[in-house]
Structures are given as C-alpha cells and as structure tokens.
Amino acid sequence: MMKGFAFKILTPKDITGVLNMIGVHPAVVQENIERPGPDNAMAFFNALAEFAYDMDSQQVKAQMPAGILYPEIYDEAMDVLTVFKLSRQLAMINLVDDFNFKDFWDPISKRFRALLSGMINFCRYKEAKVIVITGMKEDVQSLDSHRLELVEKLNQVDSELATAQERHSAELQEMWRAENEVAEAKATNEKLARQRNSADRVVEDAEKKRLAVKEHVRQGEHRIEQLREQVASLQGQIAESPEGLEKEIDELKSGVRQLKAILEEKANQRRSHSQRDQIFCRLIKHMETYKDELTRVGSLTASADAARQRCTASREELAQLRQSLEAARQDGADLDQCLKSVMADTEKAKQAHAERMQQLEERRQQALQQHQELQAKRSEEQRQLHLLQSQRLELEAEVAAVRRAHEAEMGELRAVSKAVLEKAESYNLSLEGLIFEHGHEGKAP
C-alpha cells in the first residue's frame, strides 16, 4: 500500500486487465498507465465512472433542465464536467480530496495509477455488495409477492366466509322461524290431539248412552206391543169383568203415564242427541281444520328439516372455510416469520453496512482532520513559501544588482585588461623591436 492512501495501489498490469475487462476501447496497454496522456485519462476515468454508477454521460445530460437555450453549445463541456464530477466523487469516496482538472490535462504516472487503483477498489467493493444485496432484494421481492398472493387468498377466503356467514345467518333466521312455527304447530297439534281425545271420549260416552237409550226404546216398544196385545185381549174381556177392567185400566193408565214419562225422557234424549250431533258436526269441522293444520305443520316440518339440512351443510362449509382460513393464516404466519427473518438479516446487513459506513466516516473524519492539519500546514508552508519567494525575489533583485555591478566591474576590468593587453602587446612589440635592434647591433661589429 502506497503511503498516504487508504487502499492498495494496483500494478499497471492489474489496472490494464480491469480496464480491458470493462470494455475500454481501444485496448489498454501498460504504457498507457506508465506514460498517460489527456486522452487516456479521459477515457479511463469515463469508463470507471460509468461502471461504478451504472450510467453514462448521455443519461446525465438527459436530466438537464429544459429551459436552457442552445444546449448543444454545452455538449462538449457537459461531457468533460460529467466525467470530472463522477470521477471526483469516486476519488472523495476513497479519501482523495485534491482531485482536479490537472489529473485530466496533465496526469502524473504515479498519481494517475493511485487514482485508478482507488476507483477500481470502489468498483470491486460495489460489485461484491451488489451481488449480496441483489440476492436479498430478489428474496424480499419473491417473499413479498408470495405474501401478496396469500393476502389476496386470505381476502378471498374472508369474503367467502362473510358470504357464508350472511347466508348462514339468513338460513338461521329461516330455521328459527321454521322451528318456531313447528313448535307452534306441535303445540296446536297437541292441543287439538287433547281436544280430539276428549271429543272421542265424549263421542264414546254419547254412543254408549245412545246404545243404552236405543236399547231402552226397543224395550219400551216391545213393552208397548205387549201392552197393546194386553189391551186387545182386555177389550175382549171387558164384558166379562168390568171391575177387573177398571183395575186394569187404572194399571194401564199408570203404565201410559209411565210410558209418557219415558217418551218425554226419550224426546229429551233425542233433543240432547240432536245437540250432540250438532256438536259432533262442529267437532268434525274442527277436526278437518285441525287436519289441514296438521298437513300445514307437516309441510312446515319438512321445510324445517330442509332448512336444518341446509344449515348443517352451511355449518360443514363454514367449518371447511374456517379450516382453509386457518391454513391460510398459518401460511401467512410462516410467511411473516420468513419475512421477519429476512428483515432481520437485512437489518443485520444494514447494521454491518452502517458500522462499515461509520468506520469509513470516522476514517474520513480523521482524514479530513489530517487534511485540515495538512491544509493548515500547507497554508503555513505557503505563507513561508510566500516569504521565501519574497526573500527570493529580493535576493534575485540583489543578485541582479550585484550581477549588474559585477558586469560593470567586469566591463571595466575587461577594458583595463584590454588596455593592459594593448600595453603589453605594444611593450612586447617594442621589446621585440629592441631585441631585434640589439641583435643587429651585435651582428654589425
């Protein structure tokens, strides 16, 4: 790991392999990493940004406001700015805060390799997390769709149950009404049965009395016949014994009075019999009415039995619906349990992600603090550099003055040296002339 970065710096070979894998065109070679150019930097940063954010510059440009006049003027600038902003965001994620346009226009090999390594590191992290999160999202979506299906089934079962309960309530009302009618008909039937039994007993008693009266009448008629025979026989015997006849007449009169009393009694019995017959007629009519009522009660009983059977079928159907509802609720509980487990796993993943983000935030804060310290140091160094530059400018001015003075002195020295050389040359010439003359003088003697 290169000092100053929170990620591993990849070799040019690894960076080349990754860039070729994500489809950078033309193919990338190691020389493009070791000696990068502006076109290489633009192409590499664009490819990594599109891969990291799953979107290209055209999609970003499509989100521009519609009120801009002549947007085609900004096309080229938008392409560069989009790639720069996305690349800068990736660099800031990797705690590289000094990313600027110089990294596009004049990339330095070592720094360029570090920036590409950080972006590739984020892309690898993103791909690893996306695979896990995608699987979890698919599981959540499948469970949610299954939950919706179960909720729909549960709503359908609830509606069927409500319909069945309404039908059961309606049938229950009919059944209660029919049972009440059956109970009333049974009470009426029992009352009529008691009345019929009492009427039967009255009829039996009347029939017995009628038979007894009929027997008594038959006996009276037989006695009348006997008395008529006796009267006929006595009429023949009147002339023979009038006293005996008077006695017999008295006896016959008393017998006639008895017979009249019996006849009056029979008349009374006949009147009572006629009244009894009228009562019997009314009883027969009532019995026919009771028979009709019994027929109606039988039909009501049949309808009550049918209603009871329908109620039994409805209860069985209700029990089946309750069983299916219980099964659906059990499935819903299982689904809720699975969903809770998935949500727990998601919460754990979110918590781990939050902890990771917290660690990254702490590292970012530390880096920001270090950056602020470095900024403070940098401002101090810039101040010192400014002082040094001012001192350098002063020294350069002094050096320039000294150089000018030196050059002036050197010019004077050169003039003096030239004069001295000229003097020396004239001296040499005069010396050579003297030597030559001396030589000629020495040869002359």
Side-chain angles (χ1 to χ4, degrees):
M1 182 179 294
M2 189 178 290
K3 186 177 180 181
F5 296 104
F7 49 85
K8 182 180 178 181
I9 304 299
L10 302 177
T11 61
K13 183 179 180 181
D14 295 336
I15 296 174
T16 303
V18 172
L19 292 174
N20 287 324
M21 182 183 67
I22 64 176
V24 178
H25 185 76
V28 184
V29 295
Q30 294 186 15
E31 185 178 358
N32 299 133
I33 308 300
E34 295 172 351
R35 289 187 291 276
D39 296 335
N40 299 132
M42 183 69 180
F44 298 167
F45 287 144
N46 186 21
L48 288 173
E50 289 179 356
F51 184 78
Y53 289 98
D54 292 329
M55 61 188 301
D56 54 7
S57 59
Q58 298 299 325
Q59 293 178 349
V60 177
K61 286 167 64 177
Q63 297 176 3
M64 287 179 61
I68 299 176
L69 297 176
Y70 308 109
E72 62 273 3
I73 299 174
Y74 308 102
D75 283 344
E76 186 174 357
M78 276 296 297
D79 293 335
V80 177
L81 287 174
T82 301
V83 176
F84 172 72
K85 294 295 287 185
L86 295 178
S87 302
R88 186 179 181 183
Q89 186 67 28
L90 290 176
M92 292 180 68
I93 290 173
N94 290 281
L95 304 179
V96 180
D97 298 330
D98 55 349
F99 186 84
N100 51 40
F101 278 106
K102 188 178 179 181
D103 296 315
F104 277 75
W105 297 333
D106 187 16
I108 301 171
S109 176
K110 189 176 180 180
R111 178 178 172 80
F112 184 65
R113 186 158 64 93
L115 293 173
L116 292 178
S117 300
M119 292 181 182
I120 291 171
N121 176 55
F122 176 77
C123 291
R124 287 177 175 173
Y125 173 78
K126 175 239 181 185
E127 285 296 314
K129 293 300 180 182
V130 162
I131 292 173
V132 177
I133 293 173
T134 302
M136 295 175 68
K137 285 183 178 179
E138 290 177 355
D139 294 337
V140 170
Q141 289 177 357
S142 62
L143 290 174
D144 190 59
S145 62
H146 186 56
R147 182 183 66 82
L148 292 175
E149 291 177 358
L150 289 178
V151 168
E152 186 177 358
K153 290 182 180 178
L154 183 61
N155 293 330
Q156 184 177 0
V157 171
D158 287 335
S159 63
E160 292 178 356
L161 179 61
T163 305
Q165 286 178 349
E166 291 177 358
R167 188 170 64 250
H168 175 68
S169 299
E171 291 179 354
L172 192 62
Q173 293 292 333
E174 293 179 357
M175 185 183 71
W176 287 344
R177 193 180 301 109
E179 287 179 354
N180 292 328
E181 292 177 356
V182 168
E184 292 176 358
K186 285 183 178 179
T188 305
N189 189 17
E190 290 176 356
K191 183 178 179 180
L192 293 175
R194 287 193 298 270
Q195 291 179 359
R196 182 178 180 181
N197 291 328
S198 62
D200 289 337
R201 286 194 297 272
V202 170
V203 169
E204 289 177 357
D205 294 337
E207 187 67 23
K208 288 180 180 178
K209 288 179 180 181
R210 187 180 68 81
L211 293 174
V213 169
K214 188 177 181 180
E215 181 67 22
H216 191 67
V217 168
R218 188 181 62 79
Q219 291 177 1
E221 290 178 351
H222 181 68
R223 185 175 177 81
I224 289 170
E225 290 292 331
Q226 289 178 356
L227 289 173
R228 284 177 180 175
E229 290 178 357
Q230 288 179 3
V231 168
S233 62
L234 288 174
Q235 285 177 357
Q237 295 176 4
I238 289 173
E240 296 177 359
S241 57
E243 294 178 355
L245 289 174
E246 290 178 356
K247 186 179 180 179
E248 288 180 0
I249 288 169
D250 292 332
E251 291 178 357
L252 289 173
K253 286 181 180 179
S254 63
V256 169
R257 284 194 298 271
Q258 290 178 358
L259 289 176
K260 285 181 179 180
I262 292 170
L263 289 174
E264 288 178 357
E265 184 179 358
K266 287 181 180 180
N268 293 328
Q269 288 178 356
R270 285 178 181 176
R271 285 194 296 273
S272 65
H273 286 170
S274 63
Q275 293 176 357
R276 184 192 63 184
D277 292 336
Q278 291 177 358
I279 292 170
F280 283 162
C281 290
R282 287 197 297 271
L283 285 175
I284 289 170
K285 290 180 181 179
H286 285 300
M287 288 178 69
E288 290 178 353
T289 306
Y290 294 154
K291 184 177 180 181
D292 295 334
E293 291 290 334
L294 288 174
T295 304
R296 190 174 65 84
V297 168
S299 63
L300 290 175
T301 306
S303 63
D305 293 334
R308 190 178 292 108
Q309 291 178 358
R310 289 196 301 272
C311 182
T312 304
S314 299
R315 287 176 181 174
E316 292 177 355
E317 186 178 359
L318 181 61
Q320 293 177 359
L321 289 173
R322 284 178 178 173
Q323 291 177 358
S324 61
L325 179 61
E326 188 66 27
R329 286 178 178 172
Q330 186 65 30
D331 294 337
D334 296 338
L335 180 60
D336 290 336
Q337 188 67 27
C338 294
L339 186 60
K340 287 180 181 178
S341 63
V342 171
M343 292 299 291
D345 296 337
T346 306
E347 288 296 330
K348 290 180 181 178
K350 287 182 179 179
Q351 187 176 2
H353 180 68
E355 292 176 355
R356 176 66 177 169
M357 292 300 294
Q358 186 177 2
Q359 294 176 0
L360 291 175
E361 183 65 21
E362 291 176 356
R363 290 172 58 185
R364 191 182 72 80
Q365 293 293 337
Q366 293 175 0
L368 184 60
Q369 186 177 1
Q370 294 177 0
H371 178 67
Q372 291 175 355
E373 293 175 357
L374 291 174
Q375 287 286 349
K377 290 180 181 179
R378 185 176 179 181
S379 60
E380 182 66 25
E381 290 176 355
Q382 286 178 353
R383 188 176 61 79
Q384 293 178 0
L385 181 61
H386 182 67
L387 293 174
L388 291 174
Q389 286 178 353
S390 61
Q391 293 175 2
R392 184 175 64 83
L393 292 174
E394 293 176 358
L395 290 174
E396 286 179 354
E398 292 178 0
V399 168
V402 171
R403 184 178 289 117
R404 287 192 299 272
H406 178 67
E407 288 177 354
E409 291 176 359
M410 289 298 293
E412 294 177 357
L413 288 174
R414 287 191 189 95
V416 173
S417 175
K418 186 176 181 181
V420 171
L421 287 174
E422 288 177 354
K423 288 179 181 181
E425 287 179 359
S426 62
Y427 177 75
N428 287 332
L429 289 174
S430 62
L431 183 61
E432 288 177 358
L434 291 173
I435 292 172
F436 183 73
E437 290 178 357
H438 182 70
H440 283 289
E441 289 178 356
K443 289 180 181 180

